[in-house]
Structures are given as structure tokens and as C-alpha cells.
Amino acid sequence: MRKGLGDWYFIVPGTDDTFSYMEGIYTHRLTPDYSIEMDKRSTKPGYAVLNLLSVYSLTYQVMDLLYQQVPVANLYMERLKDRWIIHMKDARLSGVSVELADFIKRSAKQGRVRYVPEYDALSIESEEELLSVSLSVDIKDWLRKKGEQTGKSMLYIAAEIFEEVYQHEQDKAGKYQSFSINYIEGIYTRRLTPDYYIELSKRGTG
């Protein structure tokens, strides 16, 4: 195993016992079952985050699976007390058992885990996506000035605006839903009756 950018070491499954890479190779004569590929880091934004119990058999199965199928450059593992926190770029994992897939899905604290039938694989994805938008020169200048004033990038400012608009629309939708529920409750639960009726007549054709 490897924590962050530190040294590689071996960990005994089901325990917290560890020993150095050199000790494992030359003292215990351990040999690998598969090779680990470093490869290039993905440029896609964001990470999926898995939160795993440190001393648990399925945790080591997940780590084993990731090391076999995900380039190390796209993984970052952090030990926090009795948990392993794994940050990872998007990946598709094949040969995942139902039990292990369910464990991964329950352990995902950020991102999305789903089965992809066309690849017969389990997909672990970040929730962030790249979005290309064409803007006028005036809007770009405005974003640039806002960025200079706040010390944030133009991209960050634009993302904040999108987030605010989205949240506003979600709040509006929630209010409309609340109104419809309250209306039904008023009629059938509280037995409210109208003081007058609204008539809908035919529209004139003249």
C-alpha cells in the first residue's frame, strides 16, 4: 500500500499490522500477483470519495481491486483513525461481485456509483462535470473584475452563479410542491370550504 506520496508498505489484512516494502520483499519473500500501473493523472475535474472501515475484509478487497484496475496516479488514500479515505478519479471496475458492489455504493461519500450494462462494469464517478459556455466580451470582463475583487478565478465565480441560480430554482419548486400538499390537506383533512366559487366559462370567439 501507499499513503499519499509516501513510501510503499505492506499491510496485513484484517489487522493494523504493517511492515516496510523492503522487509516484505527481502525478509518475507513476498511476490506480487499483479503489476501496478502509474499512468497519467486524469484531467477530469473532481474526485469520488470512498470512506471505508480500516480493519474489514471487504475494504482490502476494494483496495486490491482499485490497485489492479485504476492507475495509481488517479488514486489518493488517506488513513484517518479507523477509516480509509480514498479519493479517486472516474473509473470502471470489472469483475465486481454483488456484495462488493453494494459495499462500494454504501461507502461512497462523494460521487456516484452505478452499474453500466454496456460495459458490464461498476462505474465510480465524480459529481463534477466540465461545462463549456460561450459568453460575451462584456460578461467576461465582468467576471474578470469580480475575480480580481474577490481573489477568485473567473471559473469559480461563474460556478458560484450557476449554483445560486440552481438553488433558487430548487427552492421555488419546493414552495410550489408545499403549496399543493397544503391545499390537499386543507380540503380533505381540515375540511375547509370556499366562501365563493370561481366559474370558468367558454372563451369568446369574437
Side-chain angles (χ1 to χ4, degrees):
M1 297 204 65
R2 187 189 192 197
K3 288 192 291 186
L5 299 176
D7 296 330
W8 288 90
Y9 64 94
F10 290 95
I11 185 167
V12 181
T15 73
D16 276 335
D17 298 335
T18 63
F19 46 86
S20 70
Y21 178 79
M22 298 299 286
E23 182 183 353
I25 297 295
Y26 295 105
T27 303
H28 299 284
R29 303 294 182 181
L30 298 178
T31 56
D33 291 327
Y34 53 85
S35 61
I36 295 177
E37 301 292 335
M38 180 62 69
D39 213 339
K40 294 181 180 180
R41 181 180 294 275
S42 170
T43 57
K44 187 180 183 299
Y47 288 85
V49 179
L50 304 181
N51 187 324
L52 310 169
L53 282 170
S54 58
V55 183
Y56 190 49
S57 60
L58 291 180
T59 293
Y60 296 105
Q61 292 182 46
V62 171
M63 291 181 170
D64 202 38
L65 191 68
L66 294 179
Y67 276 130
Q68 290 182 65
Q69 301 190 32
V70 181
V72 176
N74 292 326
L75 288 173
Y76 175 79
M77 297 188 181
E78 181 181 14
R79 178 69 181 269
L80 296 177
K81 295 183 179 180
D82 62 340
R83 317 292 297 188
W84 277 104
I85 311 299
I86 302 178
H87 301 254
M88 58 183 294
K89 294 291 188 177
D90 291 7
R92 289 196 188 104
L93 307 176
S94 58
V96 184
S97 67
V98 174
E99 180 185 23
L100 199 58
D102 182 63
F103 176 66
I104 292 173
K105 191 169 185 178
R106 287 186 284 108
S107 301
K109 301 307 176 186
Q110 291 182 33
R112 179 174 64 163
V113 179
R114 63 190 181 96
Y115 175 68
V116 184
E118 56 265 37
Y119 295 100
D120 190 22
L122 189 73
S123 178
I124 304 177
E125 307 163 355
S126 163
E127 293 176 339
E128 297 184 27
E129 294 285 349
L130 283 174
L131 178 65
S132 298
V133 181
S134 296
L135 301 173
S136 68
V137 175
D138 290 341
I139 295 177
K140 287 181 180 178
D141 288 341
W142 181 81
L143 287 173
R144 187 178 295 107
K145 289 177 182 178
K146 291 289 288 185
E148 292 171 352
Q149 292 170 4
T150 59
K152 300 175 182 178
S153 68
M154 292 172 59
L155 186 62
Y156 190 89
I157 296 291
E160 282 187 328
I161 294 171
F162 279 119
E163 190 70 32
E164 288 176 4
V165 172
Y166 170 77
Q167 194 59 54
H168 177 69
E169 291 297 318
Q170 291 295 103
D171 291 343
K172 282 173 56 180
K175 289 178 181 177
Y176 293 144
Q177 183 180 21
S178 175
F179 172 79
S180 64
I181 292 173
N182 291 336
Y183 176 78
I184 296 298
E185 180 184 355
I187 297 296
Y188 293 101
T189 303
R190 302 181 184 275
R191 303 298 181 181
L192 299 178
T193 57
D195 292 328
Y196 55 87
Y197 294 93
I198 300 175
E199 293 185 1
L200 184 63
S201 60
K202 294 183 179 181
R203 177 174 297 185
T205 57

